Amino acid sequence: MFPLHVTLLVLLANVALCQYYDYDYQPMSMLGPSGPNCNTECDCPINFPSAMYCDNRKLKFVPIVPTGIKYLYLQNNLIEEIKPGVFDNVTDTLRWLVLDNNHLTNAKIEKGTIDKLTALEKLFFSFNNITEPIIPPSKSLEELKMMNNKLSKFPTGLLTDKENLTSISLQHNELTSEAITDAFKGPKKLLSLDVSYNKLKKLPAGVPNSLEMLYADYNEIDKIGAGYLKKLPALRYLRLSHNNLQDSGLPAGVFNVTSLVELDLSFNKLQSIPEINELLEQLYLQANEINKFELASFCKFTGPLNYSRLKHLRLDANNITYSNMPPESANCLRQASDIMFE
């Protein structure tokens, strides 16, 4: 049997490593000694020579990046400025740029820096102080993260040529619906868009029909446009918890689309269960004001092949109980293994 303190050390090590999984980060201690082709402020492991680790160094500026570096880690510093010339050796080779947890503002990001990176695939810019997005010219960009900044606008056209962009994360900013109108039209392969924790009053307009995941929790959304989801035939996951949705803001059948497998409407102000498609598998309605259970919301009619595929249904923290379910619910909701009322 292992001593308790050894087990705890292993658990703590695993937790510490988890924080880097977003960008396949490998701590320097696991990668061996640094090679000669490296900025003296950083480390470039011999067995991973295309990566430069400058994280957790209390740096106040981005160091000059030498030729051959493709992966640059600058997170968890005190960086306030990006000076011209620092990326001149890697303008067409740098693939990943990680700048999370610094002190950057738009005014201190000079021309001739990020705007010269033509091969960038991932740009992580979370936990800084930018008010407008920083977008590189790279057509290879696949992932963009700018969470926990002060973004108040996202001008149309910035993503027009980003044909390979699949994921955008903008949660915890100050974006309004007007500020992001048609901002995401360009990327034809976009799969995931997260605009949670902003100031939206409606879902973003002009999103590409390739989208599979749309997260807009913790906003001020009070209505969904009729036919909005019909324009997103690939959408599988829609999360709208902690908004201001009421029955009057939901057109009839607005969520009745065949593509959805998960719908989260929890912590809103709904008084009835909205109509869903029989193919939906997860429905979260907890903490609303629902006071009736209408089976027609799940099944228009029931038969051997006509029934809801719903597996999980949450109705806790509403004004109904199991007793409100009609007897024929068991047939309609025959696949539901978890229906929660309290």
Side-chain angles (χ1 to χ4, degrees):
M1 184 174 178
F2 291 107
L4 178 58
H5 69 278
V6 173
T7 304
L8 287 174
L9 283 174
V10 172
L11 288 172
L12 288 172
N14 287 336
V15 170
L17 290 176
C18 283
Q19 64 180 304
Y20 305 116
Y21 285 172
D22 269 358
Y23 28 80
D24 298 331
Y25 178 96
Q26 295 293 322
M28 267 301 302
S29 59
M30 299 173 63
L31 294 170
S34 184
N37 183 36
C38 199
N39 191 291
T40 55
E41 298 277 0
C42 309
D43 290 298
C44 305
I46 291 176
N47 56 350
F48 192 16
S50 60
M52 188 162 86
Y53 293 81
C54 311
D55 54 302
N56 297 286
R57 311 288 170 113
K58 297 183 179 179
L59 300 179
K60 291 192 175 182
F61 57 87
V62 174
I64 293 176
V65 185
T67 302
I69 298 301
K70 297 180 180 178
Y71 309 96
L72 180 57
Y73 300 97
L74 287 159
Q75 71 272 21
N76 304 327
N77 279 292
L78 305 172
I79 296 172
E80 299 176 348
E81 185 176 6
I82 304 179
K83 298 179 180 179
V86 295
F87 298 128
D88 281 0
N89 296 319
V90 293
T91 56
D92 59 351
T93 56
L94 191 66
R95 296 180 184 175
W96 293 12
L97 177 56
V98 182
L99 282 161
D100 296 340
N101 290 299
N102 280 288
H103 300 158
L104 286 163
T105 61
N106 293 83
K108 291 296 183 73
I109 302 172
E110 300 287 347
K111 291 184 177 180
T113 56
I114 293 176
D115 60 320
K116 294 178 68 174
L117 299 177
T118 60
L120 210 60
E121 296 172 359
K122 295 181 187 291
L123 177 57
F124 293 165
F125 221 107
S126 300
F127 293 93
N128 279 282
N129 297 308
I130 59 173
T131 55
E132 295 185 42
I134 307 297
I135 307 296
S138 172
K139 294 183 179 180
S140 302
L141 192 66
E142 297 174 356
E143 189 171 5
L144 180 66
K145 289 190 175 184
M146 294 186 174
M147 305 172 287
N148 294 84
N149 275 281
K150 298 178 180 178
L151 296 178
S152 58
K153 56 183 174 179
F154 202 117
T156 304
L158 290 181
L159 304 178
T160 300
D161 61 346
K162 306 307 180 209
E163 299 171 356
N164 294 294
L165 189 59
T166 60
S167 177
I168 301 175
S169 300
L170 298 172
Q171 54 266 47
H172 291 281
N173 278 289
E174 300 172 10
L175 295 167
T176 63
S177 298
E178 294 72 24
I180 61 172
T181 299
D182 294 334
F184 312 114
K185 260 188 173 180
K188 302 303 182 184
K189 297 179 182 178
L190 191 65
L191 299 177
S192 173
L193 174 61
D194 195 336
V195 288
S196 302
Y197 292 92
N198 276 284
K199 299 178 179 180
L200 307 185
K201 291 187 180 294
K202 58 183 180 180
L203 288 172
V207 294
N209 60 15
S210 58
L211 202 66
E212 295 184 4
M213 292 171 278
L214 176 55
Y215 300 157
D217 303 302
Y218 288 92
N219 276 284
E220 301 166 11
I221 297 170
D222 57 9
K223 59 184 176 182
I224 310 294
Y228 182 91
L229 300 184
K230 300 286 186 184
K231 299 175 184 178
L232 301 175
L235 191 67
R236 293 172 60 80
Y237 303 93
L238 177 60
R239 297 181 181 174
L240 295 169
S241 71
H242 295 271
N243 276 285
N244 297 326
L245 290 171
Q246 301 182 39
D247 293 356
S248 58
L250 302 182
V254 68
F255 298 120
N256 188 355
V257 290
T258 57
S259 61
L260 278 183
V261 295
E262 179 183 299
L263 175 60
D264 188 349
L265 300 172
S266 60
F267 293 90
N268 277 284
K269 301 176 182 178
L270 302 178
Q271 293 186 325
S272 59
I273 299 172
E275 176 188 336
I276 61 170
N277 192 270
E278 291 180 350
L279 297 179
L280 190 73
E281 297 180 5
Q282 319 280 342
L283 178 59
Y284 302 97
L285 290 167
Q286 68 270 24
N288 275 279
E289 300 170 7
I290 296 171
N291 52 36
K292 53 188 174 183
F293 192 104
E294 293 182 340
L295 204 56
S297 297
F298 307 97
C299 302
K300 290 299 182 184
F301 60 93
T302 304
L305 299 177
N306 300 101
Y307 57 91
S308 171
R309 274 63 173 181
L310 205 63
K311 296 177 181 178
H312 301 285
L313 171 61
R314 286 196 60 176
L315 285 164
D316 43 309
N318 278 287
N319 300 319
I320 53 174
T321 65
Y322 277 110
S323 62
N324 295 105
M325 292 181 66
E328 55 271 29
S329 297
N331 199 14
C332 167
L333 299 172
R334 67 185 73 169
Q335 288 195 341
S337 58
D338 181 24
I339 301 178
M340 186 180 299
F341 282 92
E342 55 185 44

